[in-house]
Structure formats: C-alpha cells, structure tokens
Amino acid sequence: MSFENILVEQRGAVTLITLNRPQALNALNSLVLEDLIAAFAAFEADPSQRCAVLTGAGEKAFAAGADIKEMADKPAADFYSQDFFSRWTSHLVKTTRKPWIAAVNGFALGGGCELAMMADFIIAADTARFGQPEIKLGVAPGMGGSQRLTRAVGKAKAMEMCLTGRMMGAEEAERSGLVARVVPLANLLDEALKTAAEIAAMPPLAAIANKEMVNAAFETTLEQGVLLERRIFQVLTATEDKAEGMAAFIEKRPGVWQGK
Ligand code: CO8
C-alpha cells in the first residue's frame, strides 16, 4: 500500500507510519487524514502486525497542527456538516484495538499534540515540544486536546497551556505524565521500534485486553472499571495463550503465542 502524505513500512510485526509533509512541518490536512485512516485500518486488519509506531518525517516536527492553510477559508457550515476531525477519533482511537506508540520528534502542536495523545503512549525526543496554541488563531482545541491534555497533566498545566499557547518541553512533559519516556532525538526511532517490538512479542489477545482495560479508566467509574478488568481477566483465562504462558513460566522457557 503506498500513500502520498505518509510512509508506511512493516518491520517484522511492527508497522512504522511516518507523517510525510516535512516542508509543512507535517501539518495535518484532509489527505493526511485519509491516508492515516487507511494505514491504521490495514494495520488493524493484518494479523502479522502486532504494534505500530507513528512519527513525523524530518527532525523538526511530529506535526505542527491541523493545516491552517486548509482551514483558513473553510466555511463554518462545512466544519459542522462534515463533523470535521471526528473521523480521527473514531478510526485511530476506537477502531484500532491493537497498541500503537507516538514517537514525537519535535513540535507536536494543536492537532499534532492531539494526534500524539490518541496513541496508547508517547515516547518523546529530548527536542519534543507540546502545545495547544489554537487560541492564538481565534479557536480552541478541536480533536480532544482540552480533554486528553487535562487528563494527562491536570487542570493547572492544561488550562495554562490552552489559555497562553505555551509549549511544554520534553522533560516537563515527562514530569507531568504526558509522555512515557524521553530519549535523545538520535535514538528516538530505535527506542520506539524496540519498545513496539517488545509489545509485538507479547500474547496478542492479552495486549489488546491490557489496552482496553487501561483506556476504560478514562471512561468509567472505579467500580465499573475494576469490574470490567476482572471480567476481561476471566475471559483471558480461557485462551490458549494463557495455558501456554503459565506452562512456559513453570517449564522455564519462553512462551509461543497463538493469539487464541
Ligand atoms: N498548518 C499549515 N502549515 C504549517 C503549519 C500548520 N499548522 N505549521 C507550520 N506550517 C508551515 C509554515 O506555513 C511554513 O510553510 P512555508 O514555508 O510555505 O511558509 C512551514 O510549515 C515551516 O513553518 P515556519 O516557517 O513557521 O517554521 P518556524 O520554525 O518559524 O516555526 C512553528 C515553527 C512554531 C511550529 C510555527 O510553524 C507555528 O507556529 N505553526 C503553527 C502551529 C499552530 O498554530 N498549530 C495549531 C494549528 S490549529 C489546530 O491544530 C486545530 C486542531 C483542531 C481543529 C478541529 C476543528 C473541528
């Protein structure tokens, strides 16, 4: 599968997706959206692929936001009638059940920050800068930034960033819980791919289940979340991978997973 605005390659069981508009700092336009949706759908449908990494081409940006030049003259009625940007969430967050990592290499601003926050977790280069500067354009986050950033870093920082457009550097982002880990820019892709390969080598049903459980913590009460966790745990005990995983532990050998 080849695309105009993104690059997609398979590295073993890991799909590497690269936003590829470096001349526009990987700004997210409708064509990028369509390519990404197709690439994530293909990743989800391919049983040989177990984890994905999303990054940006070039050293300067993961993505500097939704494409301002595309949005500038778009009538409000079109934003509303097309439910602009709703498809990101439905495809990248809801439909993609397999795990994926955002490897943030530079600016992740506006929709770029929001896209990174749709990932299961973020690994950031030490050069990464996160921000929701939409206020400076007379608008506000529109792809989940006000909600996901607030859940990640708390009200004080999220409110300050949304109201001032201030960018957060990688170290502050790690300290604040926005990113899982910070690595030198030169090592970013290797580290993200290595982590993705580790996840890809896990029992695949258990990987999907773990993702589903952690995500449920953002959508439910504690009691409902703990109940969901217990039920999914109980379902997993019926899988062949559970039998294999426990036998492999007892026999002191690596497990061999069937995804069944
Ligand atoms: N859209 C389109 N083009 C962009 C964008 C963008 N978001 N960001 C950068 N570019 C382009 C520039 O126009 C420039 O192109 P050209 O060379 O043709 O002039 C090229 O990328 C390089 O950018 P700069 O020359 O500006 O590079 P600098 O190093 O000077 O600055 C910055 C880098 C600070 C990242 C700067 O480019 C910047 O501030 N970019 C805009 C950041 C921003 O405001 N992002 C938020 C956009 S709005 C948004 O994401 C809303 C999402 C939700 C909408 C939901 C609707 C329902």
Side-chain angles (χ1 to χ4, degrees), residues 236-259:
L236 286 174
T237 61
T239 63
E240 289 181 21
D241 284 349
K242 173 262 179 185
E244 166 66 4
M246 296 200 178
F249 174 81
I250 292 164
E251 292 160 19
K252 300 188 188 298
R253 60 170 176 81
V256 180
W257 314 119
Q258 305 296 328

Side-chain angles (χ1 to χ4, degrees), residues 23-25 27 60 64 66-69 84-85 109-111 134 137 142:
Q23 71 290 352
L25 302 187
K60 206 168 159 186
D67 192 316
I68 298 168
K69 292 165 189 166
F84 207 59
F85 284 119
L109 302 177
E134 290 93 336
L137 302 168

Side-chain angles (χ1 to χ4, degrees), residues 18-23 25-26 55-63 103-108 125-129 184-188:
T18 307
L19 302 165
N20 193 28
R21 298 183 70 210
Q23 71 290 352
L25 302 187
N26 300 318
T55 193
E59 296 200 340
K60 206 168 159 186
F62 172 76
V104 173
N105 52 307
F107 291 115
D126 48 8
T127 55
R129 302 186 74 192
L185 176 62
N187 302 349
L188 176 67

